[in-house]
Amino acid sequence: MQKRMLFTLIMVSALLALSACGGNDNDAEGNNNNDKTADKPKVGLNEITFDDMIAKKDNNEAFYLLIYDAKKDYVKNTKLLEAYDKSLKDEDMKAYYININDLDDDKKQKIDTLSEDYSNRTSGHNPFEDGGMAVVHRGQFNSAYAYQGTAWILNTMIGKANTENKTFLDDDLYSDVKKEIQYNIDYIKEQELELTY
């Protein structure tokens, strides 16, 4: 009887040990899955780091990118990100965003170089200087506004909206956001680009 009880205890202990090991493997697997899905943006607006943005560009990935340069409290007060997120979700689109204002001096110098390179190859809207959405493809940043021959000075509009206690969810500014999204959709279609999300 004692042998049977001892055998049962050993078996239960072994099963518990195996079960615990299995749980750890699943947790690790779950973490790996999270790491893989972190690279896959959700529908709407998704934050991206400077290094990830450059890596994706250098990898020749194709994606939408909202670039702006504004103080965090201005962005919060004007509901900038909420407006873009809402408009993108309405179109079932995915886009990244980056606030140049949040970058350290070294990364800001790199942005200045990117902006200068951009200005030297095209005219019109510069998403680094003016703010707004860009389409990154073939290792380059491209503006649908420059392609359309129009302008959009988002960085200035953020400051103005903050001063006037307006938000980008207000009808007039929100219609501008929707127009910008549509310009980018049109640009992707005209260029026959396939996004790499």
Side-chain angles (χ1 to χ4, degrees):
M1 184 95 144
Q2 286 181 339
K3 287 183 181 180
R4 214 183 257 178
M5 188 173 212
L6 183 60
F7 178 75
T8 304
L9 275 170
I10 291 171
M11 289 302 292
V12 167
S13 297
L15 287 173
L16 285 173
L18 287 173
S19 173
C21 288
N24 287 342
D25 287 343
N26 288 340
D27 288 344
E29 187 178 311
N31 288 338
N32 286 341
N33 286 343
N34 286 341
D35 289 343
K36 289 176 188 169
T37 57
D39 197 37
K40 302 237 184 235
K42 64 181 177 23
V43 170
L45 204 52
N46 300 268
E47 188 170 16
I48 192 168
T49 66
F50 176 84
D51 292 333
D52 286 345
M53 174 188 75
I54 296 300
K56 286 179 173 300
K57 177 190 84 67
D58 291 347
N59 252 2
N60 289 320
E61 294 183 40
F63 56 95
Y64 293 116
L65 175 68
L66 173 63
I67 304 170
Y68 60 94
D69 186 356
K71 294 179 182 178
K72 284 184 182 180
D73 59 330
Y74 286 19
V75 174
K76 183 179 177 185
N77 294 344
T78 62
K79 299 189 184 313
L80 175 76
L81 300 180
E82 291 89 339
Y84 274 91
D85 189 55
K86 180 178 188 246
S87 187
L88 288 163
K89 284 178 178 173
D90 286 348
E91 297 293 337
D92 198 33
M93 290 171 59
K94 301 171 185 176
Y96 294 107
Y97 73 91
I98 189 165
N99 186 354
I100 296 171
N101 197 269
D102 292 342
L103 301 177
D104 63 32
D105 289 339
D106 182 47
K107 289 185 173 115
K108 282 184 181 178
Q109 284 182 338
K110 291 176 183 173
I111 287 288
D112 289 344
T113 301
L114 290 170
S115 179
E116 189 175 315
D117 290 345
Y118 182 91
S119 291
N120 287 334
R121 69 178 175 82
T122 189
S123 60
H125 178 257
N126 181 328
F128 299 104
E129 293 175 4
D130 304 323
M133 283 188 71
V135 179
V136 182
H137 66 98
R138 296 184 187 119
Q140 294 186 336
F141 295 89
N142 297 279
S143 169
Y145 278 102
Y147 182 76
Q148 293 283 346
T150 59
W152 171 244
I153 306 174
L154 179 61
N155 293 335
T156 303
M157 292 181 75
I158 295 168
K160 185 176 177 188
N162 185 67
T163 303
E164 296 174 356
N165 293 321
K166 294 180 79 173
T167 76
F168 282 86
L169 291 171
D170 294 343
D171 289 342
D172 56 335
L173 290 176
Y174 189 64
S175 68
D176 288 338
V177 169
K178 289 192 329 187
K179 186 189 309 180
E180 182 180 19
I181 302 289
Q182 188 59 54
Y183 277 165
N184 281 274
I185 292 170
D186 294 344
Y187 178 83
I188 290 288
K189 287 179 183 171
E190 288 285 325
Q191 298 294 313
E192 298 179 352
L193 296 174
E194 188 171 328
L195 299 175
T196 55
Y197 295 115

